Amino acid sequence: MSVQSAPDRVTAPGGRAAGTTRRGQAVRFAVLFALAVLFLLPMYVLLVTGFKPFAEATAARAWSPPQTWSTEGWAAAWEALSSGLRNSVAVAVPSAAVSAVLGSMNGFVMARWRFPGADTVFTLFLFGMFIPYQAVMIPLQQMLVGANLMGGVFPLILAHTVYGIPICTLIFRNYYASIPRTLIEAARVDGAGMLRTYASVVLPVSAPAFAVTLIWQFTSAWNDFLFAVFLTGPNSWPVTVQLNNVAGSMVVPYNQQMAAAVLASLPTLVVYLVLGRYFMRGLMAGALKG
Amino acid sequence: MSTSPNRSGAAVGGGPGRTSGGGPRPAPRRALHRARAWLPGLLLVSPSILLIGVFVYGMIGWNLRLALSDKHAPIQEGEFVGLVNFVALWQEARWPAAVGNAVVFTVVFVGGALVLGWLLGLLLDKGIRGEPVFRTLFLAPMAVSFIATGVVWRWLMNPAPAERATGLNALFVHFNLDFLVNDWWTAPDLGMAAMALPAIWQLAGYIMALFLAGFRGVPEELREAARVDGCSEWGVYRHVVMPQLRPVLLSAVIILGHMSLKVFDLIIAIAGQQIVADVPAVYMWAMVFEVRDPAKGATIASYLLFAVALFVVPYLVWTVRKERSEGR
């Protein structure tokens, strides 16, 4: 690094000396800003179109802000989606909770109370994370029909719970791997059995991992479409299916379509904005990096 | 089973530290003792093993059996016919076209998301004013469903000509950039390249986050050492940082690749079931719900599974082995 650039050096957050000049930073900022504007285009369209009255949601005024702001699109979207929103909550909450609990138990065992073949079982679990759900859809549907379990939101809860186990196991296993081995072994030496160790040593420190898995599972169950299409009927359609029906129809005006898309996305967006740190960790865990 | 006088002895793992006394214990006793250490763990995992066994591997097996049968209507019984369905699929016009579309989509989507995500990560790496805002913004699409993404992108990529155009075409006309006006996803040859744009928009932020974590995981001393050796800033990236990021790149490719092969929601939300945007997953849906041919649907599903397994299985085995050898 040349001497004359030294006065221009800036310090990055976290205290690392960044090897860039002020001009370099300005260029980077400009590029980032331009990309941010591009990234925001779809969001601009959603909001602006959603707030237009029916008559204004046309090609001619596609990109202009509304002349008169109207909530009629939102009212219509709410009308069309409210039962789906309820169904989505009814599916996403219990399935996230159950797969998180199972994932926590599995993660504990696979990180700290291993059994012979645990790695093989773990690898087999992980593959469940990557399988295309298409490869299990037809049998799953046939089985549920055969067992007379179709109808309502139960099939969807079951599917999201079971297929959520792999990622939850992965997240908890990586998290528990950071608990000092000695802590677990001390409990063992003191005569604590597995359940006791789990309940009094491991569970009390598990809150962050539960936050990650619950958010992750809630989000993926909420955003799912494939299982929903295969496994539910009109009365139990979650919001993604209803949104697709609204938007896929030729007669529904754009203002209502856009408002509906925002409504259907609000819960996960709020979760992301409020609990972004945990959302991020879930994402990173998905990349197999603990 | 009698209670052991020494519970903790078993729990720590038994093993070589056997106590002296009346010689070695009989082998079965020892095995039992050791089993008492790990058996509870196995029991705790067993509900999940059962669920995964039935719902992942059982269902995959069932699906494969369907694919190998001639159950071409829901009411039929279905006899074993071997690989007939797997071969017959390639004789239909629609299947190779759907595979071709999936390939174009995959190349553009994976390539685009990697390049854009890497660029964003690089731009943010050194820290910049407003970094948290940028990060939040670029990641936000990831929180949204493909269906919602599809709703707005179908509007943005509306191929209708000039006066009826909404979205990007209208914007291009407005700024006198008419040469940019195009058919988007309805173009017969490269329409799937346009279809990949919303997917890139949605996933680039994720790749950014992966790379950013990777960049920042490279110890500053390593970079500093290279600088002392006379490396330019770009040289530091090129020769020190980038080589460290190969594992990140690999997992990014795996994640994007497996998403890409099974893409379904996005296509349905943007194009519905138009043949021009057909991909295997959409084709399968049509076979199951409209043609009502379980064997054929299962065959398509099997091909999807093979395609994903081909690169995911080696990756998983390698990752778990590596972690184990690193003593995780």
Side-chain angles (χ1 to χ4, degrees):
Chain A
M1 192 177 297
S2 61
V3 180
Q4 58 267 44
S5 76
D8 277 338
R9 272 160 67 180
V10 287
T11 303
R16 281 192 293 118
T20 53
T21 60
R22 200 163 283 164
R23 207 183 54 174
Q25 222 199 8
V27 171
R28 282 196 292 134
F29 189 85
V31 176
L32 279 168
F33 188 79
L35 286 169
V37 169
L38 280 180
F39 256 73
L40 277 171
L41 272 188
M43 306 189 193
Y44 168 81
V45 166
L46 281 169
L47 286 176
V48 157
T49 315
F51 278 110
K52 283 177 184 173
F54 169 61
E56 243 190 275
T58 58
R61 299 195 41 83
W63 286 92
S64 337
Q67 278 176 321
T68 45
W69 291 72
S70 152
T71 53
E72 84 185 48
W74 299 91
W78 175 255
E79 187 83 10
L81 298 189
S82 57
S83 72
L85 288 164
R86 267 198 306 278
N87 288 333
S88 285
V89 173
V91 169
V93 172
S95 56
V98 177
S99 43
V101 168
L102 288 172
S104 163
M105 299 181 342
N106 300 340
F108 164 62
V109 170
M110 282 168 182
R112 288 290 178 252
W113 206 286
R114 299 167 51 74
F115 53 89
D119 273 340
T120 310
V121 170
F122 182 59
T123 313
L124 287 170
F125 271 34
L126 285 190
F127 183 56
M129 199 165 93
F130 286 96
I131 56 159
Y133 293 141
Q134 282 88 357
V136 294
M137 296 284 3
I138 302 175
L140 185 61
Q141 194 195 27
Q142 288 192 358
M143 192 190 83
L144 288 165
V145 168
N148 215 358
L149 288 171
M150 285 295 268
V153 291
F154 174 78
L156 219 46
I157 295 177
L158 178 75
H160 287 307
T161 303
V162 174
Y163 298 108
I165 293 175
I167 179 105
C168 292
T169 302
L170 172 68
I171 293 171
F172 276 105
R173 171 185 166 276
N174 288 349
Y175 182 75
Y176 291 148
S178 67
I179 296 180
R181 215 176 271 277
T182 46
L183 206 65
I184 310 279
E185 264 147 32
R188 284 182 138 186
V189 171
D190 286 348
M194 180 202 60
L195 283 178
R196 186 75 194 277
T197 310
Y198 176 61
S200 52
V201 179
V202 174
L203 262 189
V205 297
S206 300
F210 270 104
V212 174
T213 44
L214 286 171
I215 290 165
W216 180 256
Q217 280 307 106
F218 177 85
T219 308
S220 44
W222 188 277
N223 287 339
D224 162 72
F225 179 72
L226 182 65
F227 276 130
V229 159
F230 264 85
L231 300 179
T232 57
N235 289 327
S236 45
W237 276 338
V239 72
T240 43
V241 179
Q242 286 191 340
L243 173 62
N244 188 54
N245 291 347
V246 166
S249 148
M250 288 299 174
V251 294
V252 176
Y254 282 127
N255 62 341
Q256 192 187 327
Q257 291 186 17
M258 300 297 172
V262 176
L263 269 189
S265 312
L266 268 184
T268 51
L269 271 177
V270 167
V271 164
Y272 163 67
L273 288 175
V274 176
L275 301 166
R277 200 155 53 94
Y278 297 107
F279 184 84
M280 270 294 296
R281 284 202 220 150
L283 285 179
M284 300 321 243
L288 274 179
K289 298 282 290 175
Chain B
M1 199 187 295
S2 65
T3 47
S4 157
N6 178 11
R7 291 180 62 189
S8 62
V12 186
R18 245 183 298 106
T19 43
S20 58
R25 272 187 221 155
R29 264 297 285 286
R30 230 175 346 159
L32 195 73
H33 235 76
R34 218 171 286 146
R36 286 175 60 90
W38 54 256
L39 199 61
L42 184 61
L43 284 178
L44 195 63
V45 183
S46 57
S48 297
I49 293 181
L50 192 71
L51 287 172
I52 299 287
V54 170
F55 286 94
V56 174
Y57 294 95
M59 296 293 169
I60 286 176
W62 185 341
N63 184 75
L64 198 60
R65 207 187 60 188
L66 263 178
L68 295 171
S69 79
D70 62 354
K71 186 175 161 73
H72 292 298
I75 39 140
Q76 244 166 291
E77 264 309 312
E79 295 282 310
F80 179 83
V81 292
L83 293 172
V84 171
N85 298 319
F86 286 87
V87 177
L89 207 52
W90 291 97
Q91 266 122 46
E92 289 179 35
R94 199 176 158 180
W95 172 250
V99 172
N101 278 343
V103 170
V104 173
F105 180 86
T106 300
V107 170
V108 180
F109 165 53
V110 176
L114 280 179
V115 170
L116 184 55
W118 171 80
L119 179 69
L120 290 172
L122 191 69
L123 288 169
L124 285 174
D125 172 36
K126 295 255 173 77
I128 201 157
R129 200 150 31 97
E131 187 199 312
V133 179
F134 282 124
R135 260 189 298 143
T136 307
L137 188 85
F138 293 129
L139 254 170
M142 184 71 192
V144 169
S145 65
F146 268 127
I147 296 291
T149 297
V151 171
V152 58
W153 278 88
R154 191 178 47 185
W155 186 92
L156 285 171
M157 301 196 298
N158 188 321
E163 67 283 359
R164 283 192 294 114
T166 63
L168 294 170
N169 277 357
L171 204 60
F172 293 154
V173 171
H174 181 80
F175 286 110
N176 287 321
L177 298 166
D178 295 50
F179 65 95
L180 282 175
V181 170
N182 69 86
D183 291 337
W184 300 106
W185 56 270
T186 58
D189 292 332
L190 285 172
M192 291 310 283
M195 189 63 94
L197 293 179
I200 294 173
W201 177 76
Q202 191 148 13
L203 269 305
Y206 180 34
I207 304 304
M208 168 203 77
L210 290 183
F211 273 120
L212 202 52
F215 283 140
R216 292 185 174 168
V218 177
E220 185 58 23
E221 301 83 71
L222 257 171
R223 302 190 195 212
E224 204 48 56
R227 283 186 201 120
V228 169
D229 287 348
C231 255
S232 66
E233 255 330 283
W234 175 247
V236 172
Y237 267 105
R238 175 76 188 71
H239 300 292
V240 179
V241 180
M242 294 312 282
Q244 301 262 331
L245 290 188
R246 271 186 211 127
V248 176
L249 181 67
L250 183 63
S251 49
V253 168
I254 298 279
I255 290 167
L256 294 173
H258 100 282
M259 289 182 72
S260 181
L261 288 175
K262 55 194 191 189
V263 60
F264 172 71
D265 324 16
L266 185 68
I267 310 281
I268 289 290
I270 292 182
Q273 287 198 69
Q274 302 202 33
I275 234 66
V276 67
D278 209 17
V279 291
V282 173
Y283 187 21
M284 175 196 164
W285 189 39
M287 285 310 113
V288 177
F289 283 125
E290 279 143 38
V291 181
R292 299 179 67 73
D293 183 338
K296 200 160 163 187
T299 306
I300 299 170
S302 302
Y303 268 126
L304 280 175
L305 181 69
F306 295 153
V308 169
L310 207 60
F311 61 93
V312 165
V313 169
Y315 171 73
L316 284 180
V317 171
W318 175 77
T319 315
V320 173
R321 278 215 189 125
K322 195 183 67 161
E323 279 197 0
R324 212 11 86 198
S325 69
E326 284 165 3
R328 290 287 302 266

